[in-house]
């Protein structure tokens, strides 16, 4: 798994490179101090995952993620920042980020999150997940209103979707519903196809926006 680090603070960038370099199966393929430099380097090193800071000179992380989505769609981006600002969270996800983590995330959790993103999953820090669900809960429609797509998915697929939106992994969902992990993957794939969604993050946001989740 080839990882690129995009971070304007040299000390932080070096520390991340050292930590990730100790992880088995992880190669730090490149480093960049801003989005402009990152776009040049990504063409040379062809990373699988990019760790991207939000606030950087010349080109910030949000614009970089948008550009990578247009030019290098195979690169999965994870925002790693000190900022928990709502605007950055939602703009980052809308731009195509597959994850949003804070820099105080423990090293072992960061490595695990990168692996999950590389495997095609979406990752949000615990507090970030709650923030996303709360925000889209306020935008959800009345429970008795007919929502687009609801009739297209089965009752079991809706159960899986709710658990995906709750931040559970495929393995955890399989245990809760007493089905195999492969069956969970099939249900997730089916839901994404039927609703025309790109990934698990979009599925969670869609479910919350349309009132398919019970909010506290």
């Amino acid at each position: 798994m080839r990882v690129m680090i995009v971070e304007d603070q040299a000390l932080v960038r070096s520390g991340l490179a050292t930590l990730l370099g100790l992880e088995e199966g992880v190669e730090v393929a490149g480093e960049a101090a801003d989005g402009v430099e990152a776009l040049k380097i990504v063409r040379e090193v062809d990373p699988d995952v990019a760790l991207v800071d939000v606030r950087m000179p010349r080109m910030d992380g949000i614009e970089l993620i948008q550009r990578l989505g247009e030019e290098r769609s195979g690169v999965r981006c994870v925002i790693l920042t000190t900022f928990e600002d709502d605007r950055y969270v939602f703009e980052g996800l809308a731009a195509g980020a597959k994850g949003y983590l804070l820099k105080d995330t423990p090293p072992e959790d960061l490595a695990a999150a990168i692996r999950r993103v590389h495997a095609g999953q979406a990752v949000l820090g615990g507090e970030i997940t709650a923030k996303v669900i709360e925000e889209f809960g306020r935008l959800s429609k009345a429970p008795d209103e007919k929502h687009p797509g609801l009739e297209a998915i089965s009752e079991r697929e809706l159960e899986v979707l709710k658990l995906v939106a709750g931040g559970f992994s495929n393995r955890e969902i399989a245990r809760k519903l007493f089905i195999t992990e492969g069956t969970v993957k099939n249900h997730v794939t089916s839901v994404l196809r039927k609703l025309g969604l790109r990934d698990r993050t979009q599925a969670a946001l869609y479910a919350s926006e349309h009132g398919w989740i019970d909010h506290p």
Side-chain angles (χ1 to χ4, degrees):
M1 178 173 57
R2 296 168 59 79
V3 179
M4 182 173 72
I5 301 170
V6 187
E7 161 67 53
D8 63 325
Q9 296 184 40
L11 186 60
V12 175
R13 193 168 63 246
S14 176
L16 287 171
T18 300
L19 287 173
L20 293 177
L22 298 174
E23 292 291 328
E24 184 177 355
V26 177
E27 175 190 354
V28 178
E31 301 177 30
D34 57 50
V36 174
E37 185 179 8
L39 285 178
K40 295 178 181 178
I41 293 177
V42 74
R43 299 184 183 101
E44 302 170 2
V45 303
D46 192 26
D48 301 301
V49 178
L51 283 181
V52 180
D53 192 11
V54 172
R55 294 178 61 175
M56 297 181 293
R58 297 203 294 176
M59 181 188 296
D60 65 21
I62 306 298
E63 183 178 353
L64 171 61
I65 292 171
Q66 291 174 331
R67 292 284 299 275
L68 287 175
E70 296 167 358
E71 302 175 19
R72 310 286 296 195
S73 59
V75 181
R76 296 182 170 95
C77 296
V78 178
I79 293 175
L80 183 65
T81 182
T82 56
F83 299 97
E84 199 177 344
D85 186 284
D86 290 7
R87 177 171 60 88
Y88 293 134
V89 173
F90 296 112
E91 286 185 358
L93 295 177
K98 306 301 182 185
Y100 195 110
L101 301 171
L102 299 180
K103 287 181 180 176
D104 60 1
T105 300
E108 61 273 17
D109 291 346
L110 174 60
I114 292 173
R115 288 190 170 92
R116 287 176 63 186
V117 168
H118 181 240
Q121 300 182 40
V123 177
L124 299 175
E127 295 181 4
I128 303 300
T129 300
K131 187 185 295 290
V132 170
I133 296 300
E134 178 183 356
E135 175 64 18
F136 278 86
R138 288 198 292 266
L139 300 176
S140 64
K141 300 175 183 178
D144 59 347
E145 187 174 340
K146 191 174 181 179
H147 301 298
L150 183 56
E151 293 182 351
I153 64 176
S154 69
E155 184 176 344
R156 176 62 89 183
E157 288 171 342
L158 183 57
E159 285 183 296
V160 171
L161 176 57
K162 289 180 178 181
L163 291 171
V164 167
F168 293 98
S169 67
N170 286 350
R171 180 173 298 178
E172 292 168 331
I173 294 173
R175 289 174 180 170
K176 284 180 174 292
L177 299 182
F178 302 101
I179 57 180
T180 67
E181 192 171 345
T183 299
V184 174
K185 291 179 180 179
N186 289 338
H187 284 317
V188 172
T189 299
S190 178
V191 168
L192 296 180
R193 176 179 55 80
K194 288 179 178 180
L195 299 181
L197 302 174
R198 185 176 61 239
D199 53 36
R200 295 168 73 97
T201 300
Q202 282 196 348
L205 298 182
Y206 188 95
S208 183
E209 180 182 3
H210 289 83
W212 297 355
I213 301 174
D214 297 325
H215 298 281

